[in-house]
Every structure is written in structure tokens, then in C-alpha cells.
Amino acid sequence: MKEHPRIVFMGTPEFAVPSLEKLVDHGYPVVGVITATDKMGGRGGKQLLESPVKRAAVRLGIPVLQPKNLKAPDFQNDLKRLRADLQIVVAFRMLPEAVWNMPPLGTFNLHGSLLPRYRGAAPINWAVMNGDRETGATTFFIRHEIDAGDVLLQHRMPIGENETAGDVHDRMMVEGADLVLETVRLIEGGDYQLRKQDDTAATPAPKLNRDMARIDFNRPVPEVHNFVRGLSPWPAAWTTLEGQQLKIIRTRVEAGDHALLPGTVTTYDKDSLRVACQDGFLVVESLQLAGRRRMETQEFLRGTELPAHTVLGQ
């Protein structure tokens, strides 16, 4: 009976853990895991934080390498000694050619979009922010250009009109693991056809930051809604309430004509918070005021008095 290929798995966040577990559960020999170095964090910055992938690898009894420099000769020699036939990357970092070109069966990556759309660090977020009704996951062989390698497999996923990027992330984390397993089986069998990406159809998905997350209520309400859910749960779209930062986590759209200044808040019976936008209302379902925990709107309104004619963002 032919043996399964020896696999080295590379990843860091929670998104990558189901893929690693799926491979092990199906009997594939994962001979090593490459992940980020430990960091200090937590309360007071005094707690040693290990990556979710490292914790999973330790639990599964898999050797772990945590290189600071992927080009370092010592790391690359350690990697060679693992004698991997195939390397798999799920939410890691850019690899030098000496690393991705090492195993005989190649190195493939799981990416959270239907490539060539949304090449970059935040594909799920940008798909949701742009109001896409569909996204998906792609496996492709790594080459020099970021997210531009030949495609192996793709899996399509719908995006619900009120789903946040976090919701889509959590579904894709599971469905992406199935795609990783299917891709390994395809490579193992050797019977597959690669599809080149159309670079002219590529769109960017740059890294997110808090500075870009400020809400503009002068825009049409569907755009504001997509902006909020595309940035939820991180970095979280925000505005200001009486000078304090207010993060808005979940919303829905309510159509309606009005003559209110964009950003004007209306409330009903401590149960509903609506914010006027260009052509309707953004109904806020959960939020977080600076210095407080995230909460549902009803709970927030029970403990917060909003003066009449409050305008967010002023």
C-alpha cells in the first residue's frame, strides 16, 4: 500500500487549526509545524502567548519550529531534515523560494477568496465590505508573486446580507479545511489540472487597520452596513459619541425617508437604536463604548441616557 506524503504544515491563527486537525484525523503524517514565535501579551503584557496552531500541534504531538527568519540557514536545514513531500500554508507569511520550492510535491496555500479576486491579507473583510453576495476559498501552488500561483481547487460560499466578516471567517475556517484535505488527495493521486489566474481580473485586499475604520454616515445606508459588517469583529467600525469612541459591531438596514442630519440617533423605548444615513437608517444591534465591554443595544440603552438629537461622529 502506497504511503501518504509527508507533510509540513505552516500557519499561525485559529483559522488554520481545523485544516491541521483534519489532516491528522485522516491519517496524513504531519511531520512538522511551522508557526509564529511566541509573544508577550495579555494583562500587563506579562503573559507568554503561543499561536493557536502551536497549541494544536503540541496537543497533537507534532514537532514545532518557530523561526524568526525564514531565510536563516539553520531554519532551512531543520526544515530539510523533516523530509517533507508536500508543504501546506494556511494563514502564515510570505515564504522565500528556498522554502516553498523545497518539497518534491510543492507547496500550496489556502486563500480566503475566489482568486484572482482579493489578493492580499484581508480577503474575507473586503468581500463583505464591498457587499459581495458570494466568496469562497482557493488552493493554489505558491510562486513568487503574492497569491498569484496556479489554482488547484476552489470552493464557493454565499455571504448573507447581515453576516459579518467574523461569521464568514468561522464558516470558511471549517469549509477551508475540507478543501485542504481534498487538495492533498488530489496532489497525492497526481491526477489534476492547474488553472492559471487571470492577472487582469485581480483585485487587492490590503491589510486592515483602525485608522481606516471610521464610519461616514453621509454614505448610502447599504454601504455603511457593509462597511460595519466587513470590519466586524476586528478592527471594528467606529464613530464617536460625545467625544468617546463607539465601536459598532452588528447592524441591519432599515429603509425610510427622513430629513435628519446623517449620524443623528433615534431610539424607541430603550429597545432600538437607529442612525440616520444618506437614504435610510442603520439599525445598531450590538456595540461597544470605549472602556466598556461589547453588548447588545438593548443592554447599552438601559444603562445609557442619549440626549435628544444626539449626532454620532461630531
Side-chain angles (χ1 to χ4, degrees):
M1 183 177 175
K2 185 179 178 182
E3 292 184 356
H4 288 314
R6 294 168 60 87
I7 293 171
V8 162
F9 186 90
M10 302 182 181
T12 294
E14 193 68 35
F15 184 83
V17 171
S19 294
L20 174 60
E21 293 174 335
K22 177 81 68 170
L23 292 167
V24 173
D25 289 346
H26 284 78
Y28 282 92
V30 181
V31 296
V33 161
I34 318 300
T35 192
T37 56
D38 300 339
K39 294 178 173 60
M40 300 303 292
R43 189 178 296 274
K46 297 179 180 179
Q47 182 180 354
L48 187 68
L49 302 179
E50 299 175 327
S51 78
V53 166
K54 178 183 177 180
R55 294 196 299 271
V58 170
R59 173 169 47 82
L60 295 167
I62 302 170
V64 176
L65 297 177
Q66 296 176 273
K68 291 183 178 178
N69 181 2
L70 297 178
K71 295 182 178 180
D74 286 349
F75 163 67
Q76 293 188 9
N77 288 333
D78 289 341
L79 188 59
K80 285 177 185 175
R81 280 192 283 271
L82 293 174
R83 297 183 294 108
D85 300 304
L86 176 67
Q87 291 176 161
I88 300 171
V89 178
V90 182
F92 194 48
R93 61 189 201 252
M94 188 174 179
L95 304 181
E97 182 176 359
V99 171
W100 60 252
N101 205 26
M102 191 178 292
L105 294 179
T107 301
F108 79 81
N109 185 83
L110 174 70
H111 185 75
S113 79
L114 296 172
L115 290 171
R117 285 181 66 79
Y118 301 120
R119 292 177 179 173
I124 296 173
N125 303 86
W126 285 100
V128 177
M129 274 193 285
N130 287 335
D132 291 2
R133 292 302 181 94
E134 183 182 60
T135 186
T138 302
T139 53
F140 66 94
F141 277 123
I142 290 178
R143 295 294 180 262
H144 289 287
E145 297 81 9
I146 296 271
D147 299 334
D150 294 344
V151 170
L152 284 150
L153 291 174
Q154 288 189 319
H155 170 72
R156 294 178 178 274
M157 291 173 49
I159 302 176
E161 65 180 359
N162 292 320
E163 276 195 303
T164 66
D167 297 331
V168 178
H169 168 282
D170 291 350
R171 284 197 294 118
M172 192 180 292
M173 182 169 67
V174 176
E175 296 184 31
D178 293 335
L179 190 65
V180 165
L181 179 63
E182 187 180 351
T183 302
V184 171
R185 287 172 169 165
L186 200 69
I187 294 171
E188 186 177 24
D191 184 21
Y192 58 88
Q193 289 185 327
L194 298 175
R195 177 171 58 82
K196 289 193 176 298
Q197 294 188 42
D198 179 3
D199 292 339
T200 64
T203 56
K207 189 175 181 179
L208 304 174
N209 61 68
R210 290 183 175 89
D211 293 337
M212 57 150 294
R214 185 165 188 159
I215 302 169
D216 178 5
F217 292 109
N218 289 286
R219 293 160 58 192
V221 65
E223 291 184 12
V224 180
H225 174 58
N226 293 339
F227 185 76
V228 168
R229 64 197 187 94
L231 293 169
S232 177
W234 191 93
W238 62 274
T239 184
T240 55
L241 172 62
E242 298 179 332
Q244 287 188 291
Q245 187 181 77
L246 177 69
K247 293 179 179 179
I248 297 183
I249 313 302
R250 280 191 184 272
T251 58
R252 57 182 171 84
V253 170
E254 183 178 299
D257 295 330
H258 64 81
L260 297 171
L261 184 71
T264 300
V265 173
T266 62
T267 60
Y268 292 103
D269 301 324
K270 295 288 186 181
D271 191 52
S272 173
L273 189 156
R274 304 188 308 162
V275 187
C277 296
Q278 183 190 102
D279 58 350
F281 294 93
L282 189 73
V283 181
V284 179
E285 297 183 336
S286 62
L287 42 69
Q288 182 178 13
L289 192 62
R292 297 166 67 176
R293 60 180 174 81
R294 293 185 179 184
M295 61 183 72
E296 299 302 301
T297 296
Q298 292 90 337
E299 182 183 1
F300 172 79
L301 291 174
R302 283 197 296 270
T304 305
E305 286 293 335
L306 293 179
H309 312 297
T310 294
V311 179
L312 300 181
Q314 288 194 336

